[in-house]
Amino acid sequence: MLLLIPVLIGIWFINQWLTKRRLKNIGSPQILSVILPKVSFIYAVVKYSILVLGITILIIALTNPQTGEESTTSRTVGFEVNLVIDVSNSMLAEDIKPSRMEAVREISFKLINGLRDNRIGITVFAGEAFNQIPPTSDENILDAVLSTLSPEIVPTQGSDLNKALEIALQNFNFQEKDRKFLIVLTDGESHEGDFMEAAKKAAEQGVVIHVIGVGTSKGAVVPVKLRNGKSVSLKDNQGKVVISALDEESLQTLAQEGQGVYSKIDDADGIKRIINAINGHDKRIVTEKIYSEYSSYFPYLIAAALVLILLEFLMPKYKLTRKGE
């Protein structure tokens, strides 16, 4: 817009030149000096300069000039950690008090607290898998998601850990080169598909898999609530009561393939090892420039521009220099 200024100046000079040319066509300078009042050229220049200056300041004001203090800070950027949580019906078993599901929720809160400098996402699975939330540092959102964990949030029952690992990998932003971690919380029972193959694919992408086994080797019945509110034990297709037990061997193999740590959910030291294994890696340091206490000159420039434009408007169009006028 500042390119308008030389255009306005050029238009003014052209107008002055055309005016003088028209006057010459009327008569000689000697005759014109007698019959026409003499107009101050300097006054005309000053008047138009005031207008141009007002427009210039107005254009500059539109850019909202600011000044402020600049400070440089460094912060650490945490890793992306994704919790892969089993919410199948077997997680209702009560061999871990008050239930496996409640224990998973409690341990997940502890993991979030211990990994607070990192970004944490949540994937849930049963017969299907869903990414509930991408990695974030907002603990309120994470707490809200964890509080809703139950088998009802996944419509298809089963235990497809292979699919869960594939879906969980989609929750990561691989454009960022920071290390990434999966923490799988499951009883490891009756998993569909070859989840070891998914674990190898994760390792190929540099993702470390830590595993937390939920349940006991002895196992327990799986309570299921009926529509009338009564609770009964889950039975298989042959009518036998299902006993859900921890498949510790498979989960240990999964952690080994994922180059991670295996721990049982009731092993406080094992949970700490997983937290320390993640926090022990060097985090990326980012330098940021922060501008604070900045001041805007917009209102002052607008006021100055309006005063100048108003002043030019109120000034007489011409100023006569001829004596007696």
Side-chain angles (χ1 to χ4, degrees):
M1 293 178 67
L2 287 174
L3 294 176
L4 292 174
I5 303 305
V7 173
L8 291 175
I9 294 173
I11 291 174
W12 187 83
F13 278 105
I14 291 173
N15 182 62
Q16 292 294 314
W17 177 75
L18 290 175
T19 300
K20 290 182 178 180
R21 186 175 180 180
R22 286 196 297 268
L23 290 174
K24 286 182 178 180
N25 293 332
I26 295 175
S28 65
Q30 293 79 10
I31 296 175
L32 292 176
S33 64
V34 174
I35 65 176
L36 293 178
K38 188 175 182 182
V39 178
S40 174
F41 178 77
I42 295 178
Y43 174 83
V45 171
V46 171
K47 176 178 167 63
Y48 195 73
S49 297
I50 291 174
L51 175 63
V52 172
L53 179 60
I55 295 174
T56 303
I57 294 176
L58 179 62
I59 293 172
I60 295 174
L62 295 178
T63 67
N64 192 23
Q66 297 175 345
T67 58
E69 296 180 0
E70 176 187 327
S71 59
T72 302
T73 61
S74 296
R75 65 181 177 91
T76 57
V77 178
F79 305 120
E80 285 187 324
V81 182
N82 204 79
L83 305 183
V84 183
I85 301 175
D86 188 346
V87 293
S88 60
N89 282 330
S90 64
M91 299 301 286
L92 297 175
E94 298 177 354
D95 50 351
I96 300 293
K97 299 299 181 181
S99 71
R100 293 179 184 176
M101 193 79 266
E102 290 296 329
V104 164
R105 189 178 290 110
E106 180 181 345
I107 288 300
S108 296
F109 285 130
K110 291 182 179 180
L111 289 171
I112 290 173
N113 185 63
L115 300 169
R116 62 174 62 249
D117 293 332
N118 304 284
R119 291 161 291 166
I120 300 175
I122 296 177
T123 301
V124 296
F125 74 97
E128 299 177 68
F130 303 98
N131 287 323
Q132 291 287 85
I133 183 174
T136 177
S137 56
D138 191 329
E139 293 185 22
N140 292 326
I141 295 178
L142 293 168
D143 291 349
V145 172
L146 290 176
S147 64
T148 64
L149 292 181
S150 71
E152 285 77 17
I153 65 176
V154 179
T156 305
Q157 280 303 310
S159 195
D160 195 345
L161 179 56
N162 180 63
K163 186 66 175 179
L165 293 175
E166 292 179 357
I167 295 296
L169 290 177
Q170 297 174 15
N171 220 17
F172 289 132
N173 180 9
F174 283 101
Q175 292 182 348
E176 296 183 0
K177 302 304 180 182
D178 299 320
R179 297 184 68 91
K180 305 182 190 309
F181 303 88
L182 292 176
I183 302 179
V184 180
L185 299 96
T186 180
D187 54 25
E189 186 182 42
S190 303
H191 283 296
E192 304 167 14
D194 184 8
F195 59 81
M196 294 303 174
E197 187 65 28
K200 292 178 181 178
K201 291 180 180 179
E204 290 173 359
Q205 298 182 68
V207 179
V208 177
I209 303 177
H210 300 292
V211 182
I212 298 176
V214 185
T216 62
S217 56
K218 183 178 179 181
V221 298
V222 179
V224 178
K225 283 188 177 182
L226 302 178
R227 292 183 179 180
N228 59 12
K230 291 184 179 181
S231 181
V232 298
S233 298
L234 181 67
K235 297 181 180 180
D236 59 19
N237 295 331
Q238 286 74 39
K240 296 181 179 180
V241 175
V242 174
I243 302 296
S244 174
L246 173 65
D247 185 357
E248 198 164 16
E249 182 178 353
S250 295
L251 297 183
Q252 287 174 337
T253 304
L254 173 60
Q256 184 177 358
E257 289 289 340
Q259 301 179 1
V261 175
Y262 171 79
S263 172
K264 294 183 68 174
I265 197 167
D266 54 357
D267 182 359
D269 291 336
I271 302 300
K272 287 182 180 178
R273 285 198 301 273
I274 291 177
I275 293 174
N276 292 335
I278 295 174
N279 288 333
H281 292 279
D282 293 333
K283 295 181 175 65
R284 181 162 55 96
I285 306 297
V286 174
T287 301
E288 297 179 309
K289 288 185 178 180
I290 301 175
Y291 295 87
S292 58
E293 298 181 6
Y294 61 87
S295 300
S296 174
Y297 293 105
F298 175 78
Y300 307 107
L301 293 173
I302 285 290
L306 293 179
V307 168
L308 290 172
I309 293 173
L310 180 62
L311 175 61
E312 191 276 340
F313 178 77
L314 295 176
M315 291 175 66
K317 190 172 182 180
Y318 303 106
K319 181 178 180 181
L320 306 178
T321 61
R322 186 176 177 182
K323 291 183 179 182
E325 296 294 330

